[in-house]
Amino acid sequence: MIPVNWVVGLAAILFAIGAIGVMVRRNPLIMFMSAEMMWNAAALAFIAFARHWHDMSGQVMAFLIVGTAAAEVGIGLAIIVTVYHRRHRLDVDEISGMKN
Amino acid sequence: MQLLTEIILLPLIGAVTITVFKGLMPKKLPGIWASSLVGISFLLSIAADVHLTHLGVHHRFVTGTLWTWISGFGPAIGARLYLDPLAGIWLLVITGIGMLIHIYSIGYMHDDPGKARYFSYLNFFIFSMLLLVLAGNLIVLLIGWALVGLASYFLIGFWYHRPSAVRAAKKAFVMNTVGDVGILLGLALLYLHYHTVGYPHLFRILSAAHPGSAFFEWTAFLLYVGAMAKSAQFPLHMWLADAMEGPTPVSALIHAATMVTAGVYLMARLYPLLRLAPNVHYLVGAIGAFTAIFAASIAIFQRDIKRVLAYSTLSQLGYMFLAIGVGGFAAGVFHFMTHAFFKALLFLAAGSVIHALGGEQDINHMGGLFKKMPWTMAAFLAGTLAISGIPPFSGYYSKEAILGQVFNSGHTLLWGVGVLTAGMTAFYMFRLFFITFLGAPRDQALYDHAHEAPRVMTIPVVILAVLAVVGGFFRGWLNRWLAPTFALYPGASHAGLESGPLFGTILTVGLAMIAIILAYWMYVKKGVAPNAGSAHGLGRQAFEAWNLDTVWAWLAVIPFKTLGDWIRPVENGILAFVNGVASVVWLWAADLRPLQTGYVRRYALSIMVGLGALLAFYLIRA
Amino acid sequence: MSLFHGLLPEYIIVGFILISLLGNMLSRKYHVASWLSLIGMLSAFVASSHLWSFVLKPHMFLGGGAVIDNYSLFVNLLVLLAGLGTILLGWDERRWGTEFPVLVMLAVLGMMILGLAGNVITLFLGIEMLSLPLYILAASTHTASGGEAGLKYLLLGAFSSGILLFGLALLYGAMGSLAFVNFAKTVATPTSPLLWAGVVLSLVGILFKLGIVPFHMWVPDVYEGSPTAVTQFMAFGTKVGAAAILLRFMDFGFYATPGWWGPALGYLAVLTMIVGNLLALPQKDLKRLLAYSGIGHAGFLLIGVATHNLQGARALLFYLLPYGLAVLGAFAVLSLVAGDRDQVSVSDLTGLAKKRPLMAAFFIVVMLSFAGIPLTGGFVGKFYLLQAALFANQPGLAIGLVLGTVLGLGAYLRPIQALLNNQDSDSTAPKPKWTLGGAVVVVVAVVGTIGLGVYPTPIVHMVNQSANFFWLH
Amino acid sequence: MLVVWLMVVALVGSFVTLVVPRQSAKMVAAIVGAIVMVLYIGLLVHPGQGVNVSWIPAWGIRFHVGSDGLSLFLLGLTVVLTEAAILASKSAWGPVYFFWVLFLEFGSLGLFSALDLFLFYIFWEVVLIPVFFLLTSWSGPKGRRAGMKWLIMNLFGSLFMLIGIVAVAVIHSQPFGPLTFEISKLVHVHMDARVTPWVFAAFFLAFAIKAPLWPFHGWMPDAYREAPAPVTALVAGVMSKMGLYGFLRIMLPLFFPEFVKYETGLLILAVIGLVYGAFMALRQTDMKMVTAYASLSHIGMIALGIFSLTRAGILGATFLMVAHGLMVGGLFIVLGLLENVGGSRELGTLRGLNASAPRFAAYFLFFALATLGLPGLPGFVGEYLIIQGLVVHHVVFAVIAIIVLVMAAWYMIRIFQGIMQGPQGDLEIADLKAQQIWWIVPLAGLVVLLGVWPNGLTSHAVPSLYHAVHLLAGKGGSV
Amino acid sequence: MTAFIILAILAIVGALGVVVARQPVHSALFLVANILSLAILYLLLSAEFLAVAQVIVYAGAIMVLFLFVVTLLTAGKEEGEPKEQLEGQRWIAGVLAVGVGIALAVLAIHHPGRAIASGLPHNFGNLHGMGLLLWGPDFLYVGAIALMLVTAAIGVLVLNRPVRRQAPRPQRRNEA
């Protein structure tokens, strides 16, 4: 028997690590991966709670998260490619022309 | 009532028509038109006074409301007119002398390009003065009061291209406004307490009141401030001498005969109120006496023919107020009447001289004119004798009446001042007369050009001379005429004309005679220069009117201007505050802008910060 | 009423998306897709209006996942308006290709889903469906700023969606259900920490879309970098969607316990109103200026939620319309002035009143509506919000609204004065050209703005009806 | 009903000026103004019931307009001054200018006839807009700044008033009553003692800024200086009355106890403005600024009358509002024409003009005299009534007020003489031609009429005034 | 419990690896590890279907896509990140995220929950159960996902179209 609360705790930690990734890394791909990790953490929490409540709608939600993530990754990677395919470095800080 | 309306409106019609149609009128028409309108007004005034005599003694007034002037905050105030014997005297003097001066002006202003404008102003003045005198309540009186001030402003500044005239006009206007607002506040107080400012009603209420409360003192004082400003009592007197910048007939009419006596009128009118305010009542007399001797002291040293007359006017006004101050209302009115005659006469005669000398007013350039202008000289002499109080000229009677009453009332000090002033008056008037008409010509070129005035100018002068000579004989008639007015006021024991002790008369007349002889000795025999004594020392101070202009400037003008300058930084501060708020907002915005760094990771961090803050917020609240 | 009937507008949009895709394959003519989407959205508009009278009582489907009521229909109408405006403004923008109308319709669909969302799943799906096409549209100009806009939007969007999802998960954990209806039933008692942690996280996700300070940072950059028509769509449509879901989420799901979530939103609202309008002041780029003003307006909208009363919900709904109309008008004029460029600075407007008086007049009207001057819809909206704030006994919100409005006024007056300025105008610069689509949008916006300002009664009635979801409990 | 027609004609007319040919815009505007005037005369004859229809029923907002004695003459002021401003404007300023002027008339008419607080507020802000545009487009870069300041400052105040309005309505509707914005109903609102001062302050701020009372006049110098003269006339003549009208129409009935409570403070504020404006006017060398600060001083005087909380004072304020509008409006118009021909407003540059331009001098002097409160002209009537009101409880303020009257004579005569009299300068200007300014004669006539027969106004104003301030009875004193 | 701890450590290590790894390829590989350990965790949480979906979709499809793009974009380019330039970014981000994470974790762990006594329902989380839901009442959600995938397809199409900078505005009369 897996302690559901602990699983959610794990999800929270993964979520935090993902957040750090987004804020700290400068490589857009890694940032994007970190964001995906946050989504994954949320999916994990949903599944854990679904188990806790004996309610499958949480799992449906998790499934939808996975599906959406797929679509989002498709678009995201396309954007990253268009932005970076001519650039020297994968550095998100270089993309800061608009400010103030 | 209708008669009163017509009397008032005729001059107004004149003023309006001349203003509007002056472009269309032939050159001579405005003068004739204006004079004839005032003449008709004069005839109507006589009719109105005659009408008064048919009324019962205890009901001798005509009054009525033309329309409701204002209502809504208490009992309505009407546009009221009121004629009683007191006003009747003024009515006659205003229209009568006004008419003469109009006629005189036709000659005097013959060559002036602005004469149409002049006559419209003059007519406007007559209208305003009539409104003042015939007012049936204090509000209408105040309107007339201010309008005569305005007319005086117009006429003083008639030659508006002269800076001195402009300055004098401004001074007159502002000082008169001081008087206006005094009356305004006084009448507001009266209305507050009695819910009326209409005449017979107000008199009745005041007559029933008991003297001594501070309210009466204040009200009376405020109204007296109005009279003070208009009648140029010390310390609000400086405008009058400067007012001589206007054409001379104007000085005769406004600044000698009529307008400046409005204060006397007001004080006489408010006799019941003064009775209730003994302190102010005494103040009126004291200031009157002081003004009289003060002005006389200045007049002795003046070199300008009109200025001498102006200060003598001041001095005589002081006499009138002195009379009122001791309760001699009838005496005051009497002196007003005779003064109107002889002072108008003096001014017009002086005007003839000035006219003859091509505008020269400095007596240093005059002398020996009696040969060239006999009529004028005779008239001037009559006036001078009258003002000096030599019997049997009119001035003697009125001055005697005043001094007698002062003596009888027990104000010995004031009486002494009055007597002394009488002597001084005789001195400076004869100084003026001797220097102007006798002796050798001081300026040959001017003298050669001098000529007797045209008939249109001499005739009014002669008529006035006759009046100045015989005016004193109206004494008994006046006493009877005014009795019903003062009979309306209770406790009017001293109102009628009285005569003083014989030694007083002898003293006064004797002093005057000595003064005349002294003047003759000095200016004819010894040929002392007119400006001798005014070069330095006390004489210079007196010549400069004791420098009260400077005092006033230091007391009022400069503080006000300085305050204005002090306020300027405050204003700049307020404006800067508004702009400052704007720039602070702008700076704030500029300070916030760099937070938008353009780095996407910073944006993410900002979201995280928000998240953390929200979580903390709930954690703390939970 | 069946689910199919209730979802008719959505189905119509889906249908037209598919038809357009098909059409794109068959014909590469640009205007085919535009016409299709135009027809599609108009029919959806008609369908939504048609449904209006059927849903006087809310209908719930999918176990509470979809709520068809006047509220959702009103949101539909607003969103479709935004979509129609975008299509018309982008009518001649051939460079975006035939996919542009399809993407707009997809985003519109997402916004419509947000309007009817009744559970966590539809909330999430709606937000993602709204965002994904917008990521593409933002990046679609192939310029540096377009790419930057797309990238920033994408990364931050993914980040905030992650937060949102985690919050929703926590909520689910606390409630045991995904439907807002059940939240409302469960939450009546004092709350567990897990619950409010979930609320906070999901709020962050939604407020991010709405552009509330401090989650607003993406807004100016994305607005500036995106093509003008798309910016308009973001400013209007996204706000509608986000505000709609925020309102439903908080006022419906957590109606019973307003006291503990209201104040924070109030503070955020005041902060947003002031910061947004303040930063709009010094902007030189017109789109950026409007972006910051959009942030400020998000603050105004948030008042409607923070008051957590019926008036607030109504006022928010009402305010969306005049705000949207003003956005339509402003961006339409902007795109006309911009011509082929994507950047318009305030000084580009100089002398517009001389060159195109009517265009200038219309621009002035919408600017005044932003500023909340009477006889424009913006004023009525602000008035309603103020009413809500005071009914809720929260004068602080009212004062914040006033300060924000005054600051905003300062920002809006600058373009107005620029276009009235004849002295400094560059007479050689070409006159902006009217386009048919732009003209239609501007006229509709201006007529609507003034109409709302002069006689708002019908819309007020609609709005009051729409906010009835509030009384479900 | 007629009052609505006035507004409709002004509004429709304003749009008509936009579509007619450019050169005939002024004529069309003048005709529209004249039609409004004719309608207004009809209104004078049959004041009528006004209109009261539901507008936004959900919030209990009604389109309720009407004219009673309090507003009737302010409507007249608007109508007359607008026509004068149109006639005094240059045809070259173009149709949009006249559009805004007529639009301003529309707004002002609406404001003065609104009996619903919401409607009042609508018009309150609507009138701000035309002035902003007139300042922005018809004057230089400084005008743009002035316009910005004008709009932002006024809006700042009025938005707080909006909070106040809504607060009053909301409080009135508690608990569970329907909302209403009818002034006559809101009068009966019971507010919590902690809330009232704030609501009071909210209203006060808006009215004080618009009037402007000292020290809320930060926008005033710039706006008055930069605006075209006819616009200045409208702002000083009509718009400054709106704030004061607000005091009378809204604040007095709503907040009478607060007025009693803060009376001394309010009086001090007003009296500072009175004195301050006079001192500033005394030290200005720009003739327009003299008038501007004189206007500030007069606003202080009117406010003094209102805050005296006596019948006479309030009646005087009502009267002076109308009279001051006509007088100062006329003065600004004349000064504007003078500036057009003289090319300057400075005291030193312009001097001794009477010789070349006697008509100018005459009109200038007439309006200057009226403004300084010469008895016989309406300024005096108002000032008398206000002083009559002040002496009831506040003699000190009455004394200060009369001192300022003397100063008024001083600064007005100073500026008049400086420009018109004295030795003639190098400048010779063309005098007014009759066809240029025939219309100012009726305006002057109106001023004279008001001064000679003030009862025509006051007797009409009184019933509604006492209705508006019926609470005065509680304070005692019929004066 | 042991299994959970092991999986948790694996997942956390994977996650940390993503954030720490210097090269994107390594990050992607760490993410795969993380995802796989999570998939196993799903199994333990009675979510068989999702475990499978996680492996197929995430590890199989998404990560492959990532790796593909990584190689596409990093090929022939300088690797590694320059030093942090934003002042305090790491520090504040770390503190905040760790704080938030710990707070959430603590909250979650201490959440009392309401234990449901009865066993899991039939078909809980397996293919059958999910199928019944996804092809039954929740089909519309799946439709939405489908539309999103379409969007993604369109997006890729649009974004990688040949660039036409400053395309001229179409002239109306030409069209006619």
Side-chain angles (χ1 to χ4, degrees), chain D residues 35-343:
Chain D
I35 295 172
V36 177
M37 279 175 89
V38 171
L39 286 175
Y40 175 72
I41 292 168
L43 189 68
L44 267 182
V45 180
H46 298 291
Q49 292 298 311
V51 166
N52 188 356
V53 291
S54 186
W55 183 16
I56 312 177
W59 306 333
I61 289 170
R62 304 184 69 79
F63 185 81
H64 188 183
V65 294
S67 56
D68 58 6
L70 194 56
S71 53
L72 190 59
F73 296 96
L74 287 166
L75 291 174
L77 170 69
T78 310
V79 167
V80 170
L81 217 51
T82 306
E83 180 70 1
I86 291 172
L87 288 171
S89 303
K90 285 186 196 162
S91 181
W93 286 340
V96 181
Y97 173 86
F98 294 102
F99 164 77
W100 283 122
V101 170
L102 283 175
F103 196 78
L104 180 60
E105 177 173 36
F106 158 72
S108 310
L109 290 173
L111 181 90
F112 286 131
S113 55
L115 293 173
D116 185 285
L117 212 44
F118 181 82
L119 195 60
F120 177 87
Y121 184 80
I122 293 263
F123 285 118
W124 178 265
E125 284 202 358
V126 160
V127 294
L128 298 177
I129 301 304
V131 176
F132 167 74
F133 284 105
L134 288 167
L135 273 169
T136 301
S137 298
W138 282 272
S139 52
K142 280 183 179 170
R144 281 204 286 280
R145 279 186 68 87
M148 201 119 165
K149 226 190 247 181
W150 153 264
L151 196 54
I152 291 179
M153 264 192 87
N154 272 295
L155 211 70
F156 181 76
S158 57
L159 281 168
F160 278 103
M161 174 168 78
L162 184 61
I163 298 185
I165 289 174
V166 178
V168 170
V170 165
I171 293 170
H172 182 258
S173 75
Q174 305 284 7
F176 308 121
L179 271 178
T180 179
F181 288 85
E182 291 271 354
I183 296 171
S184 53
K185 288 182 188 152
L186 291 180
V187 170
H188 307 293
V189 68
H190 289 289
M191 267 182 276
D192 193 289
R194 281 169 304 141
V195 177
T196 329
W198 295 103
V199 181
F200 178 88
F203 277 93
F204 186 83
L205 185 66
F207 295 150
I209 289 179
K210 185 74 153 283
L213 284 186
W214 187 89
F216 304 100
H217 66 282
W219 59 267
M220 188 203 75
D222 280 358
Y224 279 23
R225 189 190 296 122
E226 301 302 332
V231 178
T232 316
L234 285 176
V235 172
V238 179
M239 303 196 67
S240 68
K241 306 302 168 298
M242 292 172 181
L244 302 161
Y245 174 77
F247 283 126
L248 284 174
R249 169 68 78 201
I250 294 167
M251 286 193 76
L252 266 185
L254 233 55
F255 300 105
F256 192 79
E258 280 66 39
F259 270 104
V260 176
K261 208 158 115 194
Y262 309 136
E263 189 177 2
T264 317
L266 293 174
L267 282 170
I268 287 173
L269 204 64
V271 95
I272 289 177
L274 177 71
V275 176
Y276 183 91
F279 274 114
M280 283 305 291
L282 203 56
R283 299 306 282 161
Q284 298 294 319
T285 54
D286 178 329
M287 62 186 181
K288 223 172 164 186
M289 293 322 288
V290 172
T291 319
Y293 281 106
S295 196
L296 180 64
S297 177
H298 288 120
I299 299 294
M301 180 65 113
I302 299 174
L304 212 51
I306 296 172
F307 299 151
S308 76
L309 300 181
T310 52
R311 291 188 171 191
I314 291 172
L315 184 64
T318 317
F319 185 87
L320 197 52
M321 272 157 68
V322 178
H324 178 253
L326 287 176
M327 299 179 312
V328 93
L331 188 54
F332 271 120
I333 286 176
V334 171
L335 293 185
L337 293 171
L338 186 59
E339 186 192 349
N340 284 345
V341 290

Side-chain angles (χ1 to χ4, degrees), chain C residues 40-58:
Chain C
M41 285 198 259
L42 278 175
S43 353
F45 201 89
V46 173
S48 297
S49 328
H50 155 80
L51 281 174
W52 188 265
S53 53
F54 287 85
V55 288
L56 294 176
K57 247 185 76 197

